[in-house]
Amino acid sequence: MQYHSTRSNENAVDSAQAVLQGLAPDGGLYMPASLPAFDWKACLQGDTYEMANRILSAFLPDIPDMEQLVRKAYTGKFAAEDLTPTVSVGPFTVLELFHGPTSAFKDVALSMLPQLLTAAKAAKQMDDDILILTATSGDTGKAALEGFRDVDGIRICVFYPDGGVSKVQRAQMVTQEGNNVTVCAVKGNFDDAQTGVKNIFAACQAQNLLEGKGFRLSSANSINIGRLAPQVTYYFKAYKDLMDRGQIALGDQVNFSVPTGNFGDILAGYLAKCMGLPVGRLICASNANNVLTDFIRTGTYDRRRPLHKTLSPSMDILVSSNLERLLYLLSGEDTALVAQLMNDLNTKGSYSVPDALLQAIEKDFWAGCCGDAGAQETIAAVWKEYGYVCDPHTATGWAVAKDYVAETCDDRPMVVLSTASPYKFPAAVLDALGSTDAGDEFDQMEQLCALTGVQIPAPLATLRGKPEKHTGVIEKENMLEFVLAL
Ligand SMILES: *Cc1c(COP(=O)(O)O)cnc(C)c1O
C-alpha cells in the first residue's frame, strides 16, 4: 500500500518503509494514499487480538505475519486479559487504557511498535541498526523504553523536559533498565524537546550526518503511523463491549471523549470512523493549554501563547503534531494546503483554515477545556458519586464530556477514554480527594490505596528503591551533539 507525506504526493513509500522512516523527508507525516477498504462488522466479531490483527493488516499490508506480531506484542504484558476493559461509571462508560506495563494508554501502541519495526526491517532487508529518538511529555518515554528495551538491532534515546513531568513519570524513566536505552532531561518544555527531536531528524537528513555510522533514525512519537494504527483497535473494542452489554445495537452511534495532547489518540478514533465504525462526535478535551479548543471553535490555530504546567502534564502541548493528518484527510487530501498551513505555523506561529475545512471539522469534532481546579473537582465528584477513582487526564475528558452533553443535549452513549492510572499522579489525586499528601510519591501511592481500596499497579509499586541510572540534563541546543555522540 502506498503512503505519502501529508505535504506532498511525491515520493510514495510502502507501509513498511513508512513505519521505518517515521517522519517523511519533507517534514510531513505519512498517510495512506487512500484509506484501506475495511469490513468493520466482521472486525467487531473478533476478540481484541483479532481486531488488532485485522486493523493493523489493513493499514500495514507490507508487514507480514501480523497475527503473530500482535500475539508477541501483547501476550502476558497487560494486567487485563482483554487489554483495554470498559467500566460503566454513572452516565458514561470509561475505557481503561492503562493496564499495560507503564500504566498509561501509550502502552497499547508502544508494545506493538517494536514488533512492527523489527518486522519492517526484516521485510526491507535493512542491516543498519535503528535509533529511536523520542521526545516525551511524560508517558511516551517510559512506554517506549519498556517496549524497546533489549530489542535486537534497535536502540532508543528519550528526551524529557526537565521538571516538566510528574515525579512518578521521572522515576519510571530514570530507573530504566536495558542495554540499548538512553534517557536525558532537556532544559525547556515539551515543545522544546519535540522541536529538538524534529530538528535532529531534519539535520541528519539534510547533512547526511549518519553516513557510515551504521544506524538510522526513527521515531516512537505518534508521528509514526505504526504508533497510530494500534490505537484504532480500542475504539472497536469499546464499541463491541457496549454491544455485548446490550447498551447499543449494531449500527448505533457512540460518542468518545478523549483527553488530548498531540492529537494521536483522538485521530485514531477518527480513523476508526473512516473505516466504518459508527462513531458519532469525537470530543477533544484539553487542559489549560487549550490551543485545540480555540482551533476547533474558530478555525485559527495559534501557538503564540505561554505553555502552562498543569496537573495533566501529558497534555501540556502547544503543537499537536497529528492535527496535520486530520487537516489532510478533511481537506480532501489537499497536500498543497497542508504544506502552506504548516509553513505558516513554523514561520508565523499560527494559521487559519478555510471555512469549508472548519465546517468539516466541526461536523465530527467538538472541543472543550478544563483547568486544574475543574479536573480536581471532577476527580472528587466521580469518586463521591460513583466510587470510581480517575487520574487528572481522565478527569479532563470526563468534565468536557459533561459540558458537551449539557450544551448539546446529545444523548448518544458516551465513552470517556481513561489514559492513565491514578497512581501515576498520586499527589494530585489525593489532593482532589481532600487528603493531604505526605512523604514521597511512593508513600502517596500507599496513602491513595488505603483511602480508595484500588490496587497499586505492580510496575509502579516495584519502582521504589530502584537505582537512578539516567540523571543527565542538557541544554536544548545540545541535543544533536548528544545524539551524534551516542
Ligand atoms: C499522551 C497522553 C495523552 C494525550 O494523547 P495524545 O495522543 O498525545 O493526544 C493523554 N493522557 C495521557 C495520560 C497521556 O499519556
Side-chain angles (χ1 to χ4, degrees), residues 104-106 137-140 169 222 227 231 258-266 314-315 317 322 391 393-394 419-420 425:
F105 92 92
K106 297 192 172 69
S137 57
D139 291 324
T140 302
Q169 290 173 322
S222 50
R227 173 67 205 278
Q231 298 180 349
V258 189
T260 296
N262 225 355
F263 211 78
D265 202 3
I266 194 167
S314 303
M315 309 198 294
I317 292 177
N322 272 296
D391 96 292
H393 302 79
T394 309
T419 49
F425 308 94

Side-chain angles (χ1 to χ4, degrees), residues 401-463:
K402 258 182 84 174
D403 291 346
Y404 170 74
V405 173
E407 195 163 306
T408 61
C409 299
D410 184 342
D411 63 357
R412 290 174 285 189
M414 175 74 76
V415 175
V416 176
L417 274 63
S418 177
T419 49
S421 159
Y423 286 102
K424 283 197 104 162
F425 308 94
V429 176
L430 279 172
D431 203 27
L433 298 182
S435 183
T436 359
D437 55 272
D440 68 10
E441 56 273 35
F442 300 105
D443 298 326
Q444 293 160 2
M445 286 185 202
E446 278 169 25
Q447 202 183 332
L448 185 57
C449 177
L451 186 70
T452 63
V454 178
Q455 264 202 329
I456 307 175
L460 293 181
T462 54
L463 272 182

Side-chain angles (χ1 to χ4, degrees), residues 122-390:
K124 293 288 152 200
Q125 295 166 344
M126 191 177 127
D127 294 328
D128 280 357
D129 277 7
I130 292 178
L131 173 63
I132 301 288
L133 272 192
T134 290
T136 183
S137 57
D139 291 324
T140 302
K142 178 61 183 182
L145 289 162
E146 205 46 49
F148 283 106
R149 66 186 274 187
D150 299 325
V151 172
D152 275 349
I154 300 186
R155 288 188 277 160
I156 172 159
C157 173
V158 169
F159 293 108
Y160 70 93
D162 191 29
V165 301
S166 86
K167 282 187 177 173
V168 177
Q169 290 173 322
R170 179 181 178 277
Q172 283 185 300
M173 289 190 278
V174 300
T175 59
Q176 179 66 43
E177 290 160 8
N179 59 25
N180 60 343
V181 304
T182 307
V183 178
C184 186
V186 176
K187 288 186 191 159
N189 58 35
F190 169 71
D191 285 314
D192 294 325
Q194 176 160 262
T195 304
V197 164
K198 285 186 184 168
N199 289 345
I200 295 172
F201 273 90
C204 290
Q205 174 87 26
Q207 305 164 36
N208 255 334
L209 295 177
L210 299 181
E211 187 79 32
K213 282 193 171 261
F215 70 88
R216 294 216 235 164
L217 296 181
S218 190
S219 168
N221 282 106
S222 50
I223 51 178
N224 193 318
I225 188 70
R227 173 67 205 278
L228 206 51
Q231 298 180 349
V232 175
T233 305
Y234 47 73
Y235 286 90
F236 280 80
K237 163 70 168 55
Y239 191 91
K240 182 183 161 87
D241 282 0
L242 288 180
M243 277 191 352
D244 288 350
R245 286 199 211 113
Q247 286 174 261
I248 54 168
L250 184 67
D252 290 350
Q253 288 194 334
V254 173
N255 298 327
F256 290 87
S257 180
V258 189
T260 296
N262 225 355
F263 211 78
D265 202 3
I266 194 167
L267 186 75
Y270 183 69
L271 293 176
K273 180 169 188 162
C274 294
M275 293 166 91
L277 191 71
V279 173
R281 262 318 193 23
L282 289 156
I283 316 296
C284 175
S286 300
N287 61 22
N289 297 297
N290 57 358
V291 60
L292 285 166
T293 314
D294 291 348
F295 171 66
I296 291 173
R297 292 184 175 187
T298 67
T300 296
Y301 194 101
D302 192 344
R303 63 174 290 188
R304 294 168 300 179
R305 59 180 85 198
L307 184 85
H308 303 290
K309 272 193 199 176
T310 72
L311 295 177
S312 41
S314 303
M315 309 198 294
D316 291 348
I317 292 177
L318 293 180
V319 181
S320 298
S321 299
N322 272 296
L323 186 59
E324 181 169 347
R325 287 192 162 108
L326 184 71
L327 300 175
Y328 165 84
L329 287 169
L330 285 178
S331 66
E333 314 190 351
D334 185 342
T335 52
L337 174 68
V338 174
Q340 179 60 49
L341 296 176
M342 292 305 120
N343 187 49
D344 287 352
L345 184 64
N346 277 337
T347 54
K348 293 192 271 184
S350 77
Y351 62 80
S352 295
V353 299
D355 284 345
L357 180 47
L358 179 60
Q359 280 163 20
I361 293 169
E362 289 180 338
K363 199 166 139 280
D364 290 317
F365 291 83
W366 191 89
C369 56
C370 168
D372 280 349
Q376 293 209 295
E377 279 163 29
T378 303
I379 293 172
V382 173
W383 168 246
K384 190 158 157 255
E385 288 166 37
Y386 313 115
Y388 186 81
V389 195
C390 60

